[in-house]
Amino acid sequence: MLLIILGAFFYDWKNKEVFSLFTEKEDFDNVKENIESSIPFKGTNLWVLIFAVFIASLGLNVNSTAVIIGAMLISPLMGPIMGIGFSVAISKPMMLQFSLKNFAFATLTGLATSTLYFLISPLSEAHSEILARTSPNIYDVLIAFFGGCAGMIANGSRLKGNVIPGVAIATALMPPLCTAGFGLATGQWGYFSGALYLYIINTVFIASSTFLVVKILNFPKYHFTESKTEKKWNIIMWFIIVITLVPSIWFGYLMIKKNNFEQNANRFITREATFPNNFLLAKKINFEKNQIELIYGGQKLSEEDFSQLIRKAVKYELMGTKIIVKQGFNFVQNNDKNLELNKPNSLEQDNIRKMIKIQDSITREQKLSKEIFEELRLFDERVSGFSFSNVKIENNSEPANSKVVLVISDEKFSAKQQAAISEFLKIRLKDADLNINFQQREN
């Protein structure tokens, strides 16, 4: 059976028609008509776009992946983008102008609609679905490029199938546009620029891949009655191709560099940035500033530890990277007092000793609470209060001593964040049975 399958595969591989795009190639006039009909944004198309924006914005607002996918399925944004690539490939200026005009109109309409929604929405938290659209990487470039290729091949074939809806989901034009609206509405310019950057990347690579596939399919080009006019428009067309491709190549190059930097930085932190009796509270990797920030709690790191970190960074291609180390405040000094007691066995001296011991214990606990609070603030700025004390718990058997901790925050922590803070506190206070309570501050 295996030999039969391999034989059939070898036969198909040798058959030149297996990979040919021309056997199922659609008539040029039909392809042009289909693409032209998807370009304009008026009437039905315009209202579908507006409703799709509202649906996508709702999905981002409530962090629902299913709702966002639904919005991408009905979004008509692919039309003018493919029209741009198609018109440049067949040298049709009027179609290019029409595509650019409608793309600009659709983008501004989508941005205005999403901004309006987020301005009136009572929910303003940036969930994971929003954050995922603010930091594009090299994979987004590849998805947009291959998605655009699949979309144009489907348009250029008689067997279109259900490729276009899949391409609309994969290339994800709607979510970053709505995320940019969220950034505008909430005044978070980092979200706005990051999401708009992803939207532009998707647009550029879908248009570029459409142009490439049209050229491969060898569709006919338009010619002008006067050679001078045709030459002029050919120059304009190639100028548009260049200004479309060059930024996309630059974006891709930057993303590869960023991706490599972040991978190397994470490998370096995982393998080298660990020390005995220390807890890595947080890490911040910043490609733009060529900087890694590490926040530790626990024992103080020595100068030799710092030197080792910098030396080891070279092995991970992090030459010239600025490594910033911030530390906690776990340097409790011994405040015990040595008393010269004339009558160590007397009841009076015994009471004095107990009072001093209690006072020192309270002082140490207060100092320790303050230090841990500062460390927790480095861990997460939402921590607004911290309390720690040793208590005696009465029960049916012998009373037991226990450490009780209260962490107060401005916003409610997720279960994952609570687990991370709990792990740190148990290591910091050297008590695996620590009684930890989380409380949200009332506004």
Side-chain angles (χ1 to χ4, degrees):
M1 180 63 71
L2 180 61
L3 289 174
I4 293 172
I5 294 172
L6 288 173
F9 175 77
F10 181 75
Y11 172 77
D12 284 343
W13 179 267
K14 287 292 185 181
N15 186 351
K16 293 182 179 178
E17 292 185 357
V18 170
F19 294 99
S20 175
L21 294 173
F22 297 95
T23 54
E24 299 163 352
K25 182 179 173 181
E26 178 66 282
D27 181 70
F28 171 69
D29 291 331
N30 291 336
V31 175
K32 185 169 75 68
E33 184 180 347
N34 287 335
I35 291 178
E36 280 184 329
S37 65
S38 66
I39 293 173
F41 278 92
K42 62 181 180 179
T44 301
N45 247 14
L46 179 59
W47 282 108
V48 169
L49 171 67
I50 292 171
F51 291 138
V53 170
F54 275 120
I55 294 170
S57 298
L58 281 161
L60 291 169
N61 215 187
V62 300
N63 208 36
S64 173
T65 305
V67 174
I68 296 169
I69 290 174
M72 290 189 284
L73 274 171
I74 63 176
S75 167
L77 276 172
M78 283 282 290
I81 297 174
M82 297 191 77
I84 293 170
F86 185 81
S87 59
V88 172
I90 65 172
S91 299
K92 193 174 183 185
M94 296 304 294
M95 185 180 180
L96 174 61
Q97 291 176 4
F98 188 54
S99 300
L100 289 170
K101 176 183 174 182
N102 279 275
F103 172 71
F105 176 66
T107 300
L108 291 174
T109 301
L111 195 59
T113 304
S114 60
T115 302
L116 175 64
Y117 168 81
F118 285 110
L119 280 172
I120 62 177
S121 171
L123 304 175
S124 58
E125 184 179 352
H127 295 290
S128 59
E129 289 292 344
I130 288 178
L131 296 175
R133 271 83 189 185
T134 58
S135 302
N137 56 49
I138 187 61
Y139 300 108
D140 295 306
V141 172
L142 297 175
I143 290 167
F145 179 78
F146 291 120
C149 287
M152 189 57 231
I153 287 174
N155 271 310
S157 169
R158 292 192 300 271
L159 307 175
K160 291 177 173 57
N162 60 350
V163 174
I164 300 300
V167 172
I169 294 173
T171 52
L173 289 160
M174 186 64 71
L177 184 62
C178 295
T179 302
F182 172 83
L184 273 180
T186 58
Q188 300 184 70
W189 302 110
Y191 289 172
F192 170 74
S193 59
L196 195 61
Y197 181 41
L198 175 57
Y199 179 73
I200 292 170
I201 284 171
N202 286 343
T203 300
V204 167
F205 277 88
I206 291 169
S208 301
S209 57
T210 300
F211 167 84
L212 180 65
V213 171
V214 171
K215 287 297 183 182
I216 291 172
L217 290 173
N218 198 26
F219 282 127
K221 289 174 62 176
Y222 280 81
H223 295 280
F224 296 85
T225 53
E226 296 182 8
S227 59
K228 286 184 178 180
T229 306
E230 182 169 353
K231 185 177 180 181
K232 173 188 171 183
W233 273 106
N234 280 335
I235 292 172
I236 293 172
M237 297 294 186
W238 278 107
F239 175 74
I240 291 171
I241 292 171
V242 171
I243 64 170
T244 302
L245 285 178
V246 169
S248 68
I249 293 169
W250 176 247
F251 291 153
Y253 169 72
L254 285 181
M255 286 183 190
I256 290 172
K257 285 194 68 176
K258 182 179 181 181
N259 188 59
N260 288 339
F261 177 79
E262 290 176 350
Q263 282 188 348
N264 290 336
N266 279 310
R267 282 171 46 233
F268 163 70
I269 292 169
T270 303
R271 297 177 185 178
E272 310 293 352
T274 56
F275 299 94
N277 303 317
N278 257 292
F279 187 88
L280 184 61
L281 301 176
K283 63 180 181 181
K284 296 178 183 177
I285 300 170
N286 193 318
F287 168 72
E288 287 74 18
K289 294 182 179 179
N290 194 23
Q291 178 178 295
I292 299 172
E293 184 176 308
L294 305 173
I295 303 172
Y296 288 96
Q299 272 190 356
K300 185 178 181 181
L301 299 179
S302 66
E303 290 297 327
E304 178 58 28
D305 291 331
F306 294 144
S307 301
Q308 283 184 12
L309 270 180
I310 295 170
R311 286 198 299 270
K312 290 176 180 177
V314 177
K315 295 191 301 182
Y316 297 87
E317 300 179 11
L318 297 171
M319 293 77 71
T321 301
K322 186 178 182 181
I323 300 175
I324 300 172
V325 176
K326 295 183 179 179
Q327 298 187 80
F329 306 91
N330 185 20
F331 315 123
V332 181
Q333 296 178 353
N334 188 357
N335 291 325
D336 290 341
K337 296 178 176 58
N338 295 318
L339 300 177
E340 292 291 329
L341 301 178
N342 294 326
K343 297 179 181 179
N345 296 323
S346 69
L347 181 60
E348 183 179 358
Q349 296 292 352
D350 213 31
N351 288 337
I352 292 173
R353 184 186 291 107
K354 287 179 181 178
M355 288 174 63
I356 292 174
K357 188 175 181 181
I358 292 170
Q359 184 180 359
D360 287 349
S361 177
I362 293 171
T363 302
R364 283 196 299 271
E365 283 186 9
Q366 289 175 341
K367 185 175 181 180
L368 185 58
S369 292
K370 185 177 180 181
E371 290 170 356
I372 295 177
F373 173 67
E374 296 290 343
E375 293 174 5
L376 286 173
R377 289 285 295 171
L378 290 174
F379 190 90
D380 195 313
E381 292 182 352
R382 290 175 295 176
V383 175
S384 58
F386 175 79
S387 176
F388 155 72
S389 62
N390 287 296
V391 298
K392 183 178 286 187
I393 299 175
E394 300 290 344
N395 50 45
N396 294 331
S397 57
E398 293 183 3
N401 292 321
S402 177
K403 292 187 179 74
V404 177
V405 167
L406 175 64
V407 179
I408 303 172
S409 61
D410 294 328
E411 298 176 19
K412 187 177 180 180
F413 287 118
S414 65
K416 185 176 180 181
Q417 290 165 334
Q418 288 186 8
I421 292 173
S422 298
E423 183 184 0
F424 161 66
L425 289 172
K426 287 176 181 179
I427 295 173
R428 181 68 172 80
L429 292 169
K430 300 177 182 178
D431 188 348
D433 299 320
L434 199 62
N435 188 349
I436 304 171
N437 301 283
F438 291 88
Q439 179 180 315
Q440 185 178 352
R441 186 185 295 277
E442 296 181 2
N443 296 325

